Amino acid sequence: MSILLKLSALVDGLSVRLSYAAAVTVLLAALISAGNAFIRYGFDISSNGWLEIQWYLFAATVMLGAPAVLKFNEHVRVDIIYGKLRGKGPVWVDLFGLVVFLLPVMGLLAYLSWPLFMKMYLTNEMSGNAGGLIRWPAMLLLPAGFGLMFLQGVSEIIKRVAFLTGDLELNLQYEKPVQ
């Protein structure tokens, strides 16, 4: 179990580092949006490229930040049943959701989005808008983001199983590893 917990820690570290990149993309998108609005309304100059880069940055925010949201257990869940469970109940619900829903969906989406990325990359597909950008960098975020979510899901499963076997202590109120 210790090797798996080390793997989990590596995945957690990667998710946290990528969440910093996601935070930077939020700042960049806000600056570009403000700059674009200023130039458009102040000088009556506009470019579709500026709008598209904002979309790309938003995609990066979501796809690079989502694994950290899962790691910190800040994701959305329905608390009707989960909130009433005590002891190991919430951990079992988490395990069920991770194994039955998260991993299959993230694996399938990564698998299905990879050929789309490859097609765009190989053809160097451009946006249909005048002044638009190449599309493959944004499309790369899909298989990468889904793959990262899959890895973070595996990390969460490792931690939940380690808790159930007594190899890791969790603060059950927040289900975060005790520091």
Side-chain angles (χ1 to χ4, degrees):
M1 185 52 83
S2 67
I3 292 172
L4 291 175
L5 286 171
K6 288 178 184 177
L7 172 67
S8 175
L10 286 172
V11 171
D12 288 353
L14 175 64
S15 293
V16 168
R17 283 190 296 283
L18 289 174
S19 73
Y20 295 136
V24 170
T25 63
V26 172
L27 176 62
L28 290 174
L31 292 173
I32 289 170
S33 178
N36 189 35
F38 176 76
I39 291 170
R40 185 178 34 185
Y41 293 114
F43 299 102
D44 200 28
I45 301 170
S46 185
S47 166
N48 286 327
W50 288 109
L51 295 173
E52 289 182 12
I53 196 69
Q54 291 173 63
W55 301 337
Y56 288 16
L57 290 169
F58 179 69
T61 300
V62 172
M63 299 310 282
L64 298 178
V69 172
L70 180 62
K71 181 222 177 300
F72 290 119
N73 206 25
E74 296 295 331
H75 55 288
V76 176
R77 68 163 51 97
V78 179
D79 284 337
I80 294 171
I81 297 172
Y82 190 87
K84 294 179 182 180
L85 297 174
R86 298 290 173 250
K88 294 181 180 180
V91 176
W92 283 107
V93 170
D94 280 348
L95 271 173
F96 177 78
L98 291 164
V99 171
V100 173
F101 296 111
L102 184 87
L103 290 188
V105 170
M106 291 300 111
L108 179 65
L109 290 173
Y111 174 78
L112 292 174
S113 61
W114 182 256
L116 297 173
F117 157 70
M118 286 304 297
K119 179 182 173 236
M120 286 184 181
Y121 178 75
L122 293 172
T123 62
N124 207 27
E125 183 176 325
M126 298 289 293
S127 168
N129 297 321
L133 304 175
I134 57 173
R135 289 191 169 170
W136 70 260
M139 185 49 111
L140 175 59
L141 290 167
L142 291 178
F146 295 136
L148 291 166
M149 277 296 287
F150 186 92
L151 286 176
Q152 188 61 48
V154 170
S155 173
E156 296 305 311
I157 289 169
I158 291 168
K159 290 183 281 191
R160 300 310 191 275
V161 170
F163 169 76
L164 292 172
T165 60
D167 293 321
L168 182 68
E169 185 179 340
L170 294 176
N171 176 345
L172 288 178
Q173 181 180 3
Y174 300 105
E175 319 233 290
K176 297 176 184 171
V178 175
Q179 303 294 329

mmCIF file of all heavy atoms in Angstrom, residues 136-166:
data_model
loop_
_atom_site.group_PDB
_atom_site.id
_atom_site.type_symbol
_atom_site.label_atom_id
_atom_site.label_comp_id
_atom_site.label_asym_id
_atom_site.label_seq_id
_atom_site.Cartn_x
_atom_site.Cartn_y
_atom_site.Cartn_z
ATOM 1 N N TRP A 136 -5.977 23.079 -32.387
ATOM 2 C CA TRP A 136 -5.469 21.916 -31.671
ATOM 3 C C TRP A 136 -4.994 22.198 -30.246
ATOM 4 O O TRP A 136 -5.139 21.329 -29.385
ATOM 5 C CB TRP A 136 -4.417 21.157 -32.483
ATOM 6 C CG TRP A 136 -3.097 21.848 -32.662
ATOM 7 C CD1 TRP A 136 -2.674 22.539 -33.754
ATOM 8 C CD2 TRP A 136 -2.016 21.876 -31.738
ATOM 9 N NE1 TRP A 136 -1.411 23.018 -33.565
ATOM 10 C CE2 TRP A 136 -0.983 22.611 -32.327
ATOM 11 C CE3 TRP A 136 -1.821 21.359 -30.465
ATOM 12 C CZ2 TRP A 136 0.228 22.853 -31.687
ATOM 13 C CZ3 TRP A 136 -0.616 21.596 -29.825
ATOM 14 C CH2 TRP A 136 0.395 22.330 -30.443
ATOM 15 N N PRO A 137 -4.441 23.380 -29.921
ATOM 16 C CA PRO A 137 -4.050 23.569 -28.513
ATOM 17 C C PRO A 137 -5.243 23.481 -27.555
ATOM 18 O O PRO A 137 -5.125 22.897 -26.476
ATOM 19 C CB PRO A 137 -3.424 24.968 -28.502
ATOM 20 C CG PRO A 137 -2.947 25.181 -29.899
ATOM 21 C CD PRO A 137 -3.977 24.504 -30.758
ATOM 22 N N ALA A 138 -6.372 24.044 -27.966
ATOM 23 C CA ALA A 138 -7.559 23.959 -27.107
ATOM 24 C C ALA A 138 -8.078 22.527 -27.049
ATOM 25 O O ALA A 138 -8.504 22.047 -26.000
ATOM 26 C CB ALA A 138 -8.643 24.902 -27.605
ATOM 27 N N MET A 139 -8.038 21.838 -28.186
ATOM 28 C CA MET A 139 -8.530 20.462 -28.219
ATOM 29 C C MET A 139 -7.630 19.531 -27.403
ATOM 30 O O MET A 139 -8.118 18.560 -26.818
ATOM 31 C CB MET A 139 -8.648 19.978 -29.664
ATOM 32 C CG MET A 139 -9.272 18.616 -29.765
ATOM 33 S SD MET A 139 -10.784 18.460 -28.818
ATOM 34 C CE MET A 139 -11.955 18.332 -30.100
ATOM 35 N N LEU A 140 -6.344 19.824 -27.329
ATOM 36 C CA LEU A 140 -5.431 19.013 -26.516
ATOM 37 C C LEU A 140 -5.838 19.045 -25.044
ATOM 38 O O LEU A 140 -5.622 18.080 -24.312
ATOM 39 C CB LEU A 140 -3.989 19.504 -26.674
ATOM 40 C CG LEU A 140 -2.940 18.835 -25.795
ATOM 41 C CD1 LEU A 140 -2.889 17.325 -26.054
ATOM 42 C CD2 LEU A 140 -1.581 19.476 -26.015
ATOM 43 N N LEU A 141 -6.452 20.141 -24.621
ATOM 44 C CA LEU A 141 -6.876 20.242 -23.226
ATOM 45 C C LEU A 141 -7.928 19.201 -22.861
ATOM 46 O O LEU A 141 -8.026 18.812 -21.696
ATOM 47 C CB LEU A 141 -7.410 21.647 -22.946
ATOM 48 C CG LEU A 141 -6.355 22.744 -22.931
ATOM 49 C CD1 LEU A 141 -7.009 24.109 -22.965
ATOM 50 C CD2 LEU A 141 -5.453 22.591 -21.726
ATOM 51 N N LEU A 142 -8.704 18.738 -23.841
ATOM 52 C CA LEU A 142 -9.741 17.744 -23.527
ATOM 53 C C LEU A 142 -9.153 16.396 -23.127
ATOM 54 O O LEU A 142 -9.387 15.938 -21.994
ATOM 55 C CB LEU A 142 -10.724 17.611 -24.678
ATOM 56 C CG LEU A 142 -11.622 18.818 -24.912
ATOM 57 C CD1 LEU A 142 -12.515 18.586 -26.118
ATOM 58 C CD2 LEU A 142 -12.446 19.122 -23.681
ATOM 59 N N PRO A 143 -8.393 15.706 -23.988
ATOM 60 C CA PRO A 143 -7.857 14.421 -23.521
ATOM 61 C C PRO A 143 -6.905 14.576 -22.335
ATOM 62 O O PRO A 143 -6.889 13.725 -21.439
ATOM 63 C CB PRO A 143 -7.154 13.847 -24.755
ATOM 64 C CG PRO A 143 -6.938 14.983 -25.680
ATOM 65 C CD PRO A 143 -8.007 15.984 -25.373
ATOM 66 N N ALA A 144 -6.159 15.669 -22.310
ATOM 67 C CA ALA A 144 -5.247 15.885 -21.177
ATOM 68 C C ALA A 144 -6.036 16.079 -19.884
ATOM 69 O O ALA A 144 -5.733 15.454 -18.860
ATOM 70 C CB ALA A 144 -4.350 17.088 -21.442
ATOM 71 N N GLY A 145 -7.044 16.925 -19.924
ATOM 72 C CA GLY A 145 -7.847 17.181 -18.728
ATOM 73 C C GLY A 145 -8.600 15.960 -18.248
ATOM 74 O O GLY A 145 -8.637 15.668 -17.050
ATOM 75 N N PHE A 146 -9.210 15.227 -19.185
ATOM 76 C CA PHE A 146 -9.921 14.011 -18.800
ATOM 77 C C PHE A 146 -8.943 12.970 -18.248
ATOM 78 O O PHE A 146 -9.253 12.269 -17.282
ATOM 79 C CB PHE A 146 -10.712 13.440 -19.966
ATOM 80 C CG PHE A 146 -11.834 14.325 -20.436
ATOM 81 C CD1 PHE A 146 -12.047 14.541 -21.783
ATOM 82 C CD2 PHE A 146 -12.680 14.951 -19.528
ATOM 83 C CE1 PHE A 146 -13.082 15.349 -22.229
ATOM 84 C CE2 PHE A 146 -13.718 15.769 -19.952
ATOM 85 C CZ PHE A 146 -13.917 15.971 -21.308
ATOM 86 N N GLY A 147 -7.773 12.875 -18.856
ATOM 87 C CA GLY A 147 -6.750 11.952 -18.359
ATOM 88 C C GLY A 147 -6.276 12.330 -16.960
ATOM 89 O O GLY A 147 -6.090 11.465 -16.099
ATOM 90 N N LEU A 148 -6.095 13.624 -16.732
ATOM 91 C CA LEU A 148 -5.679 14.085 -15.402
ATOM 92 C C LEU A 148 -6.767 13.820 -14.358
ATOM 93 O O LEU A 148 -6.467 13.451 -13.217
ATOM 94 C CB LEU A 148 -5.335 15.570 -15.446
ATOM 95 C CG LEU A 148 -4.072 15.922 -16.230
ATOM 96 C CD1 LEU A 148 -4.009 17.416 -16.517
ATOM 97 C CD2 LEU A 148 -2.830 15.455 -15.482
ATOM 98 N N MET A 149 -8.027 14.003 -14.752
ATOM 99 C CA MET A 149 -9.121 13.683 -13.828
ATOM 100 C C MET A 149 -9.148 12.188 -13.519
ATOM 101 O O MET A 149 -9.409 11.784 -12.385
ATOM 102 C CB MET A 149 -10.467 14.114 -14.419
ATOM 103 C CG MET A 149 -10.786 15.570 -14.204
ATOM 104 S SD MET A 149 -10.990 16.020 -12.468
ATOM 105 C CE MET A 149 -12.572 15.266 -12.120
ATOM 106 N N PHE A 150 -8.890 11.369 -14.533
ATOM 107 C CA PHE A 150 -8.820 9.922 -14.330
ATOM 108 C C PHE A 150 -7.732 9.597 -13.311
ATOM 109 O O PHE A 150 -7.956 8.835 -12.367
ATOM 110 C CB PHE A 150 -8.551 9.213 -15.666
ATOM 111 C CG PHE A 150 -8.597 7.724 -15.578
ATOM 112 C CD1 PHE A 150 -9.780 7.039 -15.832
ATOM 113 C CD2 PHE A 150 -7.469 6.990 -15.248
ATOM 114 C CE1 PHE A 150 -9.826 5.650 -15.749
ATOM 115 C CE2 PHE A 150 -7.509 5.612 -15.165
ATOM 116 C CZ PHE A 150 -8.691 4.936 -15.418
ATOM 117 N N LEU A 151 -6.536 10.187 -13.503
ATOM 118 C CA LEU A 151 -5.424 9.940 -12.567
ATOM 119 C C LEU A 151 -5.776 10.398 -11.156
ATOM 120 O O LEU A 151 -5.465 9.704 -10.178
ATOM 121 C CB LEU A 151 -4.160 10.640 -13.047
ATOM 122 C CG LEU A 151 -3.443 10.035 -14.233
ATOM 123 C CD1 LEU A 151 -2.268 10.912 -14.651
ATOM 124 C CD2 LEU A 151 -2.974 8.624 -13.914
ATOM 125 N N GLN A 152 -6.401 11.560 -11.045
ATOM 126 C CA GLN A 152 -6.775 12.039 -9.716
ATOM 127 C C GLN A 152 -7.829 11.137 -9.097
ATOM 128 O O GLN A 152 -7.825 10.902 -7.897
ATOM 129 C CB GLN A 152 -7.261 13.490 -9.762
ATOM 130 C CG GLN A 152 -7.467 14.102 -8.396
ATOM 131 C CD GLN A 152 -6.191 14.142 -7.569
ATOM 132 O OE1 GLN A 152 -5.146 14.558 -8.058
ATOM 133 N NE2 GLN A 152 -6.267 13.697 -6.330
ATOM 134 N N GLY A 153 -8.717 10.596 -9.920
ATOM 135 C CA GLY A 153 -9.692 9.631 -9.422
ATOM 136 C C GLY A 153 -9.020 8.390 -8.865
ATOM 137 O O GLY A 153 -9.400 7.881 -7.809
ATOM 138 N N VAL A 154 -7.999 7.901 -9.571
ATOM 139 C CA VAL A 154 -7.230 6.750 -9.079
ATOM 140 C C VAL A 154 -6.573 7.102 -7.739
ATOM 141 O O VAL A 154 -6.585 6.309 -6.795
ATOM 142 C CB VAL A 154 -6.185 6.295 -10.119
ATOM 143 C CG1 VAL A 154 -5.223 5.275 -9.527
ATOM 144 C CG2 VAL A 154 -6.876 5.739 -11.362
ATOM 145 N N SER A 155 -6.019 8.298 -7.650
ATOM 146 C CA SER A 155 -5.400 8.741 -6.401
ATOM 147 C C SER A 155 -6.415 8.759 -5.261
ATOM 148 O O SER A 155 -6.112 8.326 -4.138
ATOM 149 C CB SER A 155 -4.791 10.139 -6.598
ATOM 150 O OG SER A 155 -4.322 10.653 -5.372
ATOM 151 N N GLU A 156 -7.602 9.251 -5.548
ATOM 152 C CA GLU A 156 -8.639 9.300 -4.510
ATOM 153 C C GLU A 156 -9.071 7.901 -4.092
ATOM 154 O O GLU A 156 -9.328 7.651 -2.913
ATOM 155 C CB GLU A 156 -9.834 10.130 -4.992
ATOM 156 C CG GLU A 156 -9.516 11.586 -5.248
ATOM 157 C CD GLU A 156 -8.885 12.290 -4.060
ATOM 158 O OE1 GLU A 156 -9.414 12.169 -2.943
ATOM 159 O OE2 GLU A 156 -7.848 12.958 -4.259
ATOM 160 N N ILE A 157 -9.144 6.990 -5.039
ATOM 161 C CA ILE A 157 -9.481 5.597 -4.712
ATOM 162 C C ILE A 157 -8.412 4.997 -3.808
ATOM 163 O O ILE A 157 -8.724 4.340 -2.806
ATOM 164 C CB ILE A 157 -9.662 4.762 -6.002
ATOM 165 C CG1 ILE A 157 -10.945 5.181 -6.716
ATOM 166 C CG2 ILE A 157 -9.666 3.263 -5.691
ATOM 167 C CD1 ILE A 157 -11.097 4.616 -8.114
ATOM 168 N N ILE A 158 -7.150 5.233 -4.139
ATOM 169 C CA ILE A 158 -6.040 4.720 -3.320
ATOM 170 C C ILE A 158 -6.176 5.230 -1.888
ATOM 171 O O ILE A 158 -6.052 4.461 -0.924
ATOM 172 C CB ILE A 158 -4.684 5.107 -3.929
ATOM 173 C CG1 ILE A 158 -4.455 4.351 -5.232
ATOM 174 C CG2 ILE A 158 -3.546 4.864 -2.938
ATOM 175 C CD1 ILE A 158 -3.284 4.866 -6.069
ATOM 176 N N LYS A 159 -6.445 6.515 -1.733
ATOM 177 C CA LYS A 159 -6.557 7.094 -0.386
ATOM 178 C C LYS A 159 -7.757 6.535 0.364
ATOM 179 O O LYS A 159 -7.666 6.251 1.562
ATOM 180 C CB LYS A 159 -6.626 8.617 -0.459
ATOM 181 C CG LYS A 159 -5.297 9.241 -0.884
ATOM 182 C CD LYS A 159 -5.341 10.748 -0.891
ATOM 183 C CE LYS A 159 -6.020 11.242 -2.129
ATOM 184 N NZ LYS A 159 -5.873 12.706 -2.339
ATOM 185 N N ARG A 160 -8.875 6.347 -0.325
ATOM 186 C CA ARG A 160 -10.065 5.801 0.342
ATOM 187 C C ARG A 160 -9.833 4.351 0.777
ATOM 188 O O ARG A 160 -10.201 3.961 1.873
ATOM 189 C CB ARG A 160 -11.306 5.877 -0.558
ATOM 190 C CG ARG A 160 -11.769 7.248 -1.028
ATOM 191 C CD ARG A 160 -11.891 8.267 0.084
ATOM 192 N NE ARG A 160 -12.564 9.494 -0.303
ATOM 193 C CZ ARG A 160 -11.981 10.535 -0.889
ATOM 194 N NH1 ARG A 160 -10.723 10.497 -1.225
ATOM 195 N NH2 ARG A 160 -12.678 11.636 -1.128
ATOM 196 N N VAL A 161 -9.220 3.566 -0.102
ATOM 197 C CA VAL A 161 -8.927 2.173 0.252
ATOM 198 C C VAL A 161 -7.915 2.127 1.402
ATOM 199 O O VAL A 161 -8.047 1.320 2.334
ATOM 200 C CB VAL A 161 -8.428 1.375 -0.976
ATOM 201 C CG1 VAL A 161 -7.890 0.015 -0.578
ATOM 202 C CG2 VAL A 161 -9.555 1.238 -2.004
ATOM 203 N N ALA A 162 -6.912 3.006 1.367
ATOM 204 C CA ALA A 162 -5.924 3.055 2.456
ATOM 205 C C ALA A 162 -6.594 3.411 3.779
ATOM 206 O O ALA A 162 -6.234 2.876 4.829
ATOM 207 C CB ALA A 162 -4.824 4.060 2.125
ATOM 208 N N PHE A 163 -7.582 4.281 3.732
ATOM 209 C CA PHE A 163 -8.327 4.608 4.945
ATOM 210 C C PHE A 163 -9.091 3.384 5.450
ATOM 211 O O PHE A 163 -9.060 3.063 6.641
ATOM 212 C CB PHE A 163 -9.298 5.765 4.694
ATOM 213 C CG PHE A 163 -10.257 5.967 5.821
ATOM 214 C CD1 PHE A 163 -9.845 6.568 7.003
ATOM 215 C CD2 PHE A 163 -11.569 5.538 5.720
ATOM 216 C CE1 PHE A 163 -10.729 6.736 8.055
ATOM 217 C CE2 PHE A 163 -12.469 5.706 6.763
ATOM 218 C CZ PHE A 163 -12.048 6.307 7.944
ATOM 219 N N LEU A 164 -9.770 2.700 4.530
ATOM 220 C CA LEU A 164 -10.570 1.543 4.930
ATOM 221 C C LEU A 164 -9.714 0.410 5.484
ATOM 222 O O LEU A 164 -10.177 -0.357 6.333
ATOM 223 C CB LEU A 164 -11.416 1.051 3.753
ATOM 224 C CG LEU A 164 -12.540 1.994 3.312
ATOM 225 C CD1 LEU A 164 -13.181 1.496 2.026
ATOM 226 C CD2 LEU A 164 -13.574 2.169 4.420
ATOM 227 N N THR A 165 -8.476 0.303 5.009
ATOM 228 C CA THR A 165 -7.577 -0.751 5.494
ATOM 229 C C THR A 165 -6.750 -0.303 6.703
ATOM 230 O O THR A 165 -5.956 -1.069 7.224
ATOM 231 C CB THR A 165 -6.624 -1.219 4.382
ATOM 232 O OG1 THR A 165 -5.841 -0.115 3.939
ATOM 233 C CG2 THR A 165 -7.386 -1.841 3.225
ATOM 234 N N GLY A 166 -6.927 0.962 7.117
ATOM 235 C CA GLY A 166 -6.203 1.463 8.276
ATOM 236 C C GLY A 166 -4.817 1.990 7.961
ATOM 237 O O GLY A 166 -4.043 2.278 8.880
#
